[in-house]
Amino acid sequence: MKTKRQEKILELISQKICLTQEDLQNGLEDAGFNVTQSTVSRDIRELKLVKGRDENGNYRYLSHRQSANSAKSYNRYQEFLIRAVKYVKYSLNNVVIKCDVGMASSACVAVDELFGDMMLGSLAGDDTIIIVTAGEEESKRLCESINKLL
C-alpha cells in the first residue's frame, strides 16, 4: 500500500502543480487512498521531495529528477548573470543592476526566475534593470543574494 501511495504521489507531482501537503492529500484521496496529513508528510520526507521551480518557473513540489532539471536551469541562469552583470546596488526599496549593453532584458529574465519571490517587480532597459522590493531591508537582502551568486 505504501509503495503504491508513494508512486501515486510521484505521478501527481509530475502531472500537476502541488504546492501544499493538502494538495497532495486531496489528490491521493481522489485516487482512492485514505491518508492523513502526517502520512503525506512522512511520504514527502521519504521520497525526498523538495519545493522549487520547475522548468516553466512554477513553484511546486519536485522529485529528485525534476529538481535536477531545475538545478540545470539554475546553473544556466547563474552563468548568464555572471557574464552579463557589471554590478548590483540598492537604494531604499529599489535594486539597480547594471549590465553589458543589450543584455539587461535577458538578465532580467534570469533574475526573475532566480529571485522572483524576493521582489515586487522588475523592469529592464538596454543595459539596466530596476527592481522594486517591499522595503529597504528586502532590497539589501536581494542585492546581497545577487552579489553572492556573482
Side-chain angles (χ1 to χ4, degrees):
M1 184 66 126
K2 177 180 173 180
T3 302
K4 289 195 181 300
R5 185 181 65 244
Q6 289 183 349
E7 287 173 359
K8 188 63 177 178
I9 288 173
L10 292 172
E11 181 183 322
L12 285 169
I13 66 170
S14 71
Q15 293 177 351
K16 67 179 196 170
I17 296 171
C18 293
L19 291 172
T20 64
Q21 291 181 7
E22 185 178 3
D23 291 341
L24 289 173
Q25 186 176 1
N26 291 338
L28 287 169
E29 288 174 355
D30 290 346
F33 293 92
N34 187 16
V35 293
T36 63
Q37 179 273 329
S38 60
T39 300
V40 173
S41 180
R42 200 170 21 260
D43 286 341
I44 289 170
R45 196 172 37 258
E46 289 176 11
L47 292 168
K48 296 182 175 134
L49 302 183
V50 295
K51 282 190 175 179
R53 296 197 186 280
D54 63 15
E55 63 275 359
N56 298 318
N58 300 308
Y59 193 69
R60 62 191 292 178
Y61 276 112
L62 300 170
S63 68
H64 178 66
R65 186 177 332 152
Q66 289 171 312
S67 67
N69 290 337
S70 181
K72 289 177 189 173
S73 294
Y74 179 90
N75 290 338
R76 278 194 302 254
Y77 289 134
Q78 180 183 15
E79 289 169 11
F80 183 80
L81 288 177
I82 289 169
R83 287 193 307 266
V85 174
K86 292 181 177 180
Y87 65 83
V88 182
K89 295 184 180 180
Y90 77 95
S91 176
L92 300 175
N93 70 321
N94 296 302
V95 175
V96 176
I97 302 175
K98 197 67 169 175
C99 302
D100 291 326
V101 176
M103 302 295 280
S105 182
S106 298
C108 192
V109 170
V111 170
D112 286 346
E113 286 296 318
L114 296 173
F115 303 102
D117 57 339
M118 298 177 75
M119 62 178 103
L120 297 176
S122 61
L123 183 65
D126 191 44
D127 65 352
T128 306
I129 301 168
I130 303 291
I131 298 170
V132 179
T133 66
E136 187 169 3
E137 190 58 38
E138 289 82 357
S139 290
K140 179 181 179 185
R141 219 175 8 254
L142 176 59
C143 190
E144 288 170 351
S145 296
I146 295 171
N147 278 318
K148 207 180 296 182
L149 184 75
L150 302 175

